[in-house]
């Protein structure tokens, strides 16, 4: 996982996953709560791709939001992105 401070301006995205390298990039200039959903959104894309599930984008969004809410509500999990490095270049 990497922070890419140019992701939104360069690719008009807040998150992306490279399915070949399994590197997930997140735009760092968004609120913590949004980063959490973006993180899980990209994981869902990875799962969908790896298992050839063809999950529609709106379902990916719903799954990501649901996982984040489930983890927070039932396990009191707080996500910490403080150790994520920034993408070079």
């Amino acid at each position: 996982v990497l922070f890419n401070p140019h992701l939104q301006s360069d690719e008009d995205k807040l998150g992306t996953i490279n399915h070949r390298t399994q590197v997930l990039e997140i735009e760092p200039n968004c609120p913590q709560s949004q980063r959490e959903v973006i993180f899980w959104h990209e994981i869902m894309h990875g799962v969908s791709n790896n298992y050839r599930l063809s999950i529609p984008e709106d379902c990916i969004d719903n799954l990501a939001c649901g996982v984040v809410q489930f983890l927070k509500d039932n396990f009191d999990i707080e996500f910490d992105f403080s150790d994520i490095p920034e993408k070079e270049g």
Side-chain angles (χ1 to χ4, degrees), residues 11-80:
E11 298 184 37
D12 198 28
K13 296 179 179 182
L14 296 175
T16 187
I17 186 169
N18 181 314
H19 297 289
R20 183 181 57 79
T21 63
Q22 296 296 299
V23 173
L24 191 151
E25 294 180 16
I26 300 172
E27 169 66 52
N29 299 313
C30 54
Q32 171 73 14
S33 60
Q34 193 173 14
R35 280 189 224 151
E36 295 166 358
V37 173
I38 293 166
F39 176 75
W40 282 99
H41 177 103
E42 298 308 326
I43 289 173
M44 294 300 161
H45 274 301
V47 170
S48 178
N49 182 281
N50 287 344
Y51 291 95
R52 296 178 176 86
L53 299 175
S54 301
I55 300 173
E57 191 69 18
D58 62 329
C59 291
I60 293 281
D61 286 338
N62 291 336
L63 285 167
C65 289
V67 167
V68 169
Q69 198 61 53
F70 177 80
L71 292 173
K72 286 183 166 204
D73 289 352
N74 294 290
F75 298 100
D76 201 29
I77 290 177
E78 294 296 323
F79 297 93
D80 180 4

Side-chain angles (χ1 to χ4, degrees), residues 1-4 23-27 84-88:
V1 178
L2 299 171
F3 277 134
N4 182 345
V23 173
L24 191 151
E25 294 180 16
I26 300 172
E27 169 66 52
I84 294 179
E86 192 167 289
K87 181 179 180 177
E88 294 181 15

